[in-house]
Amino acid sequence: MKLYINGNETELDEACATLADLLSRPEWKERRMIVELNGMIVGRDDFGTVLLADGDRIELVHFVGGG
Amino acid sequence: MNFAGEDRYSRQERFYGIGAEGQKKLAQAKVLIIGAGALGSACAETMVRSGAGKVTLVDRDYVEWSNLQRQNLFTEQDAAERIPKAVAAARRLRSVNSSVEVEGIVADITAEEIGLYTRGIDLILDAADNFEVRMIVNDIASRDGIPWIYGACTGSYGISMTIVPGQSACLHCLLDSVPAGGDTCDTAGIIGPAVQMTAAYQTAEALKWLSGNVSALRGTLVSFDLWTNRHSSVDTAKLKRADCPSCGAKRTYPYLSPDSHSRTAVLCGRDTVQIRPPSQVRLDLEEWERRLSAYGRAERNPYMLSLTLDRHRMAIFPDGRVLVHGTGDPAEARSLYHRYFG
Ligand SMILES: [Zn+2]
């Protein structure tokens, strides 16, 4: 399916079904994220149950510590 | 000499959101800035120029050459003399606006001591370089009802959020634990504009709050990347947790308990480890210069003692803290520390 992650069109295989699956990918795995799905914020407890669908727009905001 | 003429804040008073009334409120405000590095410099300069009543900076580090590219309060002389950032920043800020009370404190932020700095404070600006400190700030802000403004940046990326106790989600609501070093370290380097942009978001919110424009607060977690030209603003209100240990119904302020804090901290991307003494001490630097000069080159300024060894260098502060440069390994740093300080 086709997703839009931070505005970038991204092709995902079918195995990637939930938000948790997406966030376990190497490029996101070690990061702390705030996730918005189609304009709605998703709580951490729901990452494992929220299913992704073709055309979803996902905003991933990651925390950094530098100052 | 008094430069605080009537004209000084005229452009700010002409601005519709502040006016003479807002300026008066600002002049009464006491602001605490946690950290006097890149964000701390930028935030402090804006708050002092804009005429806040009092600005206090707390920082544990000293000026190095690699700071000068983005930390806009410091000079080559500060780096050459290894002046503590809180001292150098306060000196510069007083020369920028002598009508503002400026205090620079050379210290580490700890659970035990943060209460000394937050008493009577109206707003906290976060310019820390690690999450351990931010969680302490988050807990004390929640406990004492002080608004604080999270800000952080790395590379060309920055992020900020305003946390008003009792209203917004807090940092602990958003992060269930302190993130490990890996994803927050400044190993990606940083460009000055990312600092300035982050500080601009923080200080705009500070001016709103302190001039009495609460309804103008942004209310979102903002983030941006100045290199890839991305920007996002996310409403985090729904992430406020009723069971949050820091702001929920049964709050315990876990990060204010002394044992939550480690004595050893690896400073991000710096090849440096900080070690705190096991109990509060006051070191006589002159005496220690005599003792340590047998082992390497010892150099002292009024604020710290520097000991250069074969492969390492140690910076020793009067409060007993030691920065071990030349290693990122806490065990190696501890063994060096114990060799000289028992
Ligand atoms: Zn909370």
Side-chain angles (χ1 to χ4, degrees), chain A residues 6 44 59 62 64-67, chain B residues 39 134 150 153 157 174 230:
Chain A
N6 291 351
R44 221 174 12 246
E59 196 72 36
H62 66 275
V64 294
Chain B
L39 284 178
R134 285 192 179 92
Y150 161 60
C153 45
Y157 179 84
L174 271 49
R230 289 279 309 158

